[in-house]
Amino acid sequence: MKIPNILLIYTGGTIGMIKDPETGALRSFDFDSLLDKIPELKLLACSIETISFDKPIDSSNMKPAYWIKIAEIIDKNYNSSDGFVVLHGSDTMSYTASALSFMLENLAKPVIFTGSQLPIGDLRTDAKENLITSIQIASLQEKEQPVIKEVCLYFEYKLYRGNRTTKINAEHFEAFASLNYPDLVESGVHLKVNKEYLLKPKAGASLKLHKTLNNNIAVIKLFPGISKNVLNSIFSTPSLQGVILETYGAGNTTSETWFINTLKESINKGIHIINITQCSGGSVIMGQYETSTQLKEIGVISGKDMTTEAAIAKLMHLLSKNLSTKQFKEHFESSICGEIS
């Protein structure tokens, strides 16, 4: 039986650093010698190929151009690989995983993002476990078909749907959470796959790559005392086409006239406004309280239980389409790749 072929894509980040034992300085890890440095990988029932960015980047420098580069690597190697593991800095990993979930339409193979809080050469590193288990999960097959068929994120013994994650801790090994969707896989003595939660793509459809992203957007986090001048200055930004409005609780905002009018005027100018809750878990339910009823009436779009990261990626993706206002709202409020419950 043919063993799965996994492509490891290194973009940068802490996981790819190794500490010089003499100087203590961090330097990039040579992934061509991966099997020599981590012999445990030879125990996995798969073959591993590696590809690295010419110049590894810190994830704080991540941008749509790099998302496109990762997606192109996957597209180019899609027929020859059975799964993909993307090594990425943790700070913006949820953004990239969310973006790739929209860019890779009809994906029917695993794309698993992982990284680490400590460099791979550190004595107490979490990099080895994250890397080994990510590759093992990516190589899981049933009847010679991949078990996982979506963009995921693996960290600290759990596999999550990528576009449901957010980074919650910069100090602990358990850096990510998926508060509105269950874990896909739990790693213990055995791998427990929660099959009922896995995405089931359209059978037989070919991979379609979406490379056009529109980043003429802004994110506004509401706070008590936000001023009219600040809001007006953001909505007056040239070429602005979409705004993620991070609201309170179940999608509530101040009901002051100037605030509602500012949003209404912007929507009338063609700017799409998306309502996303500031809460880590839970959902926007516009109209549940009086303070959000007006938002619904003026045409604010509900982000439901999407993360801010997923909403940003989805907004960039949909703005690149030639959609009417009605179509845009319908598409945004519907699940495209499991980003909404």
Side-chain angles (χ1 to χ4, degrees):
M1 188 173 70
K2 177 182 173 289
I3 63 169
N5 181 41
I6 305 303
L7 181 63
L8 192 64
I9 304 167
Y10 175 54
T11 68
T14 300
I15 194 170
M17 307 303 288
I18 192 164
K19 188 177 288 186
D20 188 301
E22 293 181 5
T23 65
L26 291 175
R27 57 182 171 81
S28 292
F29 182 72
D30 180 11
F31 276 88
D32 290 334
S33 60
L34 186 66
L35 291 174
D36 296 329
K37 293 288 196 295
I38 311 176
E40 298 94 327
L41 291 175
K42 294 176 183 176
L43 299 173
L44 297 175
C46 64
S47 63
I48 302 168
E49 295 180 14
T50 62
I51 188 168
S52 299
F53 275 16
D54 295 333
K55 186 178 179 182
I57 60 163
D58 187 290
S59 74
S60 298
N61 289 319
M62 187 52 66
K63 56 186 178 182
Y66 292 129
W67 296 343
I68 293 168
K69 187 173 180 179
I70 297 167
E72 285 177 335
I73 291 171
I74 293 169
D75 183 51
K76 184 179 178 182
N77 294 278
Y78 193 72
N79 292 330
S80 59
S81 300
D82 298 294
F84 305 86
V85 173
V86 184
L87 303 182
H88 191 291
S90 61
D91 285 349
T92 58
M93 193 186 296
S94 289
Y95 291 93
T96 304
S98 295
L100 267 288
S101 72
F102 295 107
M103 296 169 72
L104 299 170
E105 186 180 350
N106 301 324
L107 178 69
K109 295 179 181 181
V111 174
I112 299 176
F113 282 81
T114 195
S116 65
Q117 295 288 65
L118 290 174
I120 205 164
D122 197 278
L123 185 63
R124 295 178 51 253
T125 186
D126 54 330
K128 286 188 178 182
E129 197 285 319
N130 286 346
L131 177 57
I132 290 167
T133 308
S134 292
I135 294 172
Q136 187 175 16
I137 292 172
S139 64
L140 289 177
Q141 292 198 343
E142 279 186 359
K143 298 177 182 177
E144 297 187 7
Q145 290 295 316
V147 172
I148 308 297
K149 300 178 180 180
E150 57 180 293
V151 178
C152 302
L153 188 156
Y154 180 83
F155 230 86
E156 191 63 9
Y157 306 116
K158 290 182 179 179
L159 183 76
Y160 309 104
R161 176 165 296 159
N163 57 31
R164 292 304 197 116
T165 62
T166 193
K167 187 174 181 183
I168 58 165
N169 203 304
E171 183 72 18
H172 297 165
F173 287 141
E174 195 173 343
F176 291 87
S178 172
L179 294 166
N180 287 333
Y181 199 77
D183 310 330
L184 304 182
V185 178
E186 297 169 49
S187 174
V189 175
H190 302 285
L191 290 177
K192 181 189 174 188
V193 182
N194 299 315
K195 291 185 179 179
E196 66 270 31
Y197 302 129
L198 299 178
L199 199 64
K200 297 170 180 65
K202 199 187 318 177
S206 299
L207 180 71
K208 185 176 180 182
L209 182 60
H210 297 277
K211 296 199 294 183
T212 308
L213 296 163
N214 186 333
N215 65 348
N216 291 307
I217 68 172
V219 178
I220 302 173
K221 184 168 185 171
L222 295 187
F223 59 89
I226 190 169
S227 72
K228 183 178 180 179
N229 287 340
V230 166
L231 213 62
N232 281 335
S233 67
I234 296 171
F235 279 112
S236 299
T237 303
S239 303
L240 184 69
Q241 294 181 41
V243 169
I244 305 291
L245 193 66
E246 288 195 344
T247 58
Y248 312 125
N252 304 311
T253 68
T254 175
S255 55
E256 289 188 51
T257 302
W258 69 264
F259 179 82
I260 300 299
N261 285 344
T262 300
L263 300 188
K264 187 176 180 180
E265 289 166 10
S266 300
I267 290 169
N268 289 339
K269 286 193 294 185
I271 297 172
H272 302 286
I273 301 177
I274 317 299
N275 188 347
I276 295 289
T277 176
Q278 292 179 16
C279 298
S280 300
S283 179
V284 164
I285 310 172
M286 289 198 297
Q288 182 176 20
Y289 295 95
E290 187 180 349
T291 47
S292 65
T293 300
Q294 287 177 285
L295 303 181
K296 192 174 181 180
E297 290 173 352
I298 64 173
V300 171
I301 297 167
S302 175
K304 301 186 178 179
D305 66 346
M306 262 187 284
T307 63
T308 295
E309 293 91 334
I312 287 169
K314 190 171 186 176
L315 187 54
M316 288 187 186
H317 171 66
L318 289 180
L319 283 174
S320 69
K321 312 289 180 188
N322 187 24
L323 300 173
S324 67
T325 301
K326 183 183 178 183
Q327 288 174 324
F328 189 96
K329 186 176 187 297
E330 287 173 353
H331 279 65
F332 208 99
E333 293 184 347
S334 302
S335 181
I336 294 176
C337 46
E339 75 282 2
I340 295 174
S341 296

